[in-house]
Amino acid sequence: TSSLTAAGLSRRRYVAGGQCKSTAKLEGKVVIITGANTGIGKETARDLARRGKVIVACRDIAKAEAAASEIRAETGNQQVIVKKLDLADTKSIREFAEKFLAEEKELHILINNAGVMLCPYSKTADGFEMHLGVNHLGHFLLTFLLLERLKQSAPARIVNVSSLAHHGGRIRFHDLHGEKSYNRGLAYCHSKLANVLFTRELARRLQGKSHRRVEFTANALHPGSVHSELVRHSFVMMWLWKIFSFFLKTPWEGAQTSVYCAVAEELDSVTGQYFSDCQPAYVSPRGRDDETAKKLWSVSCELLGIQWD
């Protein structure tokens, strides 16, 4: 049995993946994490609250307050603040940004973490397909609205939580909102590919504007297969998740790469990259297609009615 236990432990360690070793403090720094009331987002907030001020931006205020008070009690940091943000509604995103900019003079780290997965076909308040609307367009708009504050606070970082699922995605410009054909698994993959392409194009644009050392970075990541509430829309996935839970990361393990991308000193001037298990990871050929990235950028601006040059 001892060899079985050892095998079990080494498999567990393999599943757990990389760990963020950085002890960087974020004194006087401000972090926003979207969807930080549960799962990976909550664990990311818990870690970063040991380092600095964290703004938990969530749709469900009651859940967010419960998570925040738990984190405040555990870390002793009273600077864990809840703000309402519904990424499925551009009006809510604009209100959140407006309030934040009025109240906070600085923003050093923006973690676009919130996401929906495997939703039955539905649309956001603005008529966008739900996966694309929340996972990509909502975060695209939020980043746009907060960009100047991030720039003024440089060195600053943008961290986009994508997924290995981006390998199965494609940007279907002829049917972005899935009105002609819809598959919820693929819709999730498409939105995660959009995260990778957005990160790539954002990094390219930010680098083009700065001639000195990169002070302002944007990176994407795959957290791993994590035991979280993200699969709540699919009975089959919930069932599979239960059976294979031994092979899934805990939310704490899943948060490690988000934390790494947010604080690791060695990433100070690394931008436009994609990480998994706290190290660079392989990006699908579609995720490296600069033409698609540029086109997605302009289509996103058009859909959101913004000018972002």
Side-chain angles (χ1 to χ4, degrees):
T1 54
S2 65
S3 65
L4 273 176
T5 315
L9 280 172
S10 70
R11 184 158 72 227
R12 196 51 242 146
R13 268 199 295 275
Y14 174 74
V15 170
Q19 211 174 315
C20 178
K21 303 275 198 289
S22 170
T23 54
K25 286 279 174 242
L26 300 173
E27 276 133 8
K29 297 200 167 178
V30 181
V31 182
I32 291 177
I33 308 173
T34 67
N37 58 357
T38 180
I40 303 168
K42 183 178 171 184
E43 292 306 321
T44 305
R46 195 192 306 271
D47 182 296
L48 297 182
R50 294 195 171 93
R51 305 169 191 254
K53 179 173 183 173
V54 175
I55 290 167
V56 172
C58 299
R59 188 187 52 190
D60 186 331
I61 290 291
K63 239 181 164 181
E65 280 297 356
S69 66
E70 181 191 311
I71 292 169
R72 284 193 286 264
E74 195 181 305
T75 61
N77 180 4
Q78 294 314 298
Q79 297 267 284
V80 180
I81 296 155
V82 172
K83 300 278 179 208
K84 172 126 176 110
L85 170 68
D86 182 356
L87 287 156
D89 184 352
T90 57
K91 189 165 164 285
S92 168
I93 300 168
R94 288 179 180 281
E95 279 167 8
F96 168 85
E98 207 174 295
K99 280 197 182 117
F100 173 83
L101 295 171
E103 289 163 14
E104 299 287 342
K105 293 296 155 250
E106 293 192 302
L107 174 59
H108 304 89
I109 300 167
L110 170 62
I111 303 180
N112 290 318
N113 163 83
V116 293
M117 181 180 182
L118 305 173
C119 311
Y121 189 75
S122 54
K123 288 189 165 178
T124 68
D126 302 87
F128 308 140
E129 185 277 314
M130 192 59 75
H131 293 91
L132 187 81
V134 171
N135 299 353
H136 169 61
L137 291 167
H139 283 129
F140 187 94
L141 178 61
L142 180 66
T143 307
F144 167 75
L145 295 170
L146 299 174
L147 197 71
E148 279 313 308
R149 190 55 43 93
L150 280 156
K151 280 184 182 166
Q152 291 157 8
S153 314
R157 299 185 186 191
I158 295 168
V159 178
N160 294 325
V161 179
S162 177
S163 165
L164 185 67
H166 85 269
H167 286 273
R170 53 174 52 207
I171 306 299
R172 302 166 68 245
F173 290 109
H174 65 286
D175 188 23
L176 269 184
H177 303 296
E179 286 155 334
K180 298 189 179 103
S181 73
Y182 180 74
N183 171 305
R184 48 180 163 174
L186 287 175
Y188 177 70
C189 296
H190 302 333
S191 71
K192 294 287 109 180
L193 174 59
N195 294 154
V196 172
L197 290 167
F198 167 46
T199 306
R200 192 176 175 88
E201 181 62 9
L202 178 60
R204 189 187 70 80
R205 286 164 175 260
L206 294 173
Q207 251 178 313
K209 299 231 162 74
S210 128
H211 302 295
R212 53 202 163 82
R213 188 170 153 274
V214 185
E215 288 250 288
F216 188 36
T217 63
N219 291 301
L221 67 103
H222 165 54
S225 300
V226 178
H227 208 297
S228 75
E229 288 179 21
L230 200 55
V231 294
R232 63 184 171 271
H233 292 293
S234 165
F235 172 74
V236 176
M237 284 296 278
M238 279 167 68
W239 179 72
L240 286 170
W241 245 225
K242 268 201 173 62
I243 293 175
F244 294 109
S245 63
F246 187 75
F247 295 97
L248 296 172
K249 291 186 177 188
T250 63
W252 182 85
E253 290 161 352
Q256 293 302 302
T257 308
S258 296
V259 173
Y260 174 75
C261 288
V263 302
E265 298 87 341
E266 63 266 34
L267 299 188
D268 274 350
S269 51
V270 173
T271 190
Q273 299 301 308
Y274 171 75
F275 294 85
S276 176
D277 283 331
C278 301
Q279 55 189 11
Y282 179 74
V283 177
S284 77
R286 288 199 185 107
R288 285 175 273 140
D289 185 332
D290 290 331
E291 287 317 301
T292 306
K294 288 182 182 118
K295 186 173 177 188
L296 177 64
W297 186 282
S298 63
V299 168
S300 301
C301 287
E302 221 168 280
L303 287 169
L304 292 163
I306 58 176
Q307 288 250 290
W308 188 354
D309 299 319

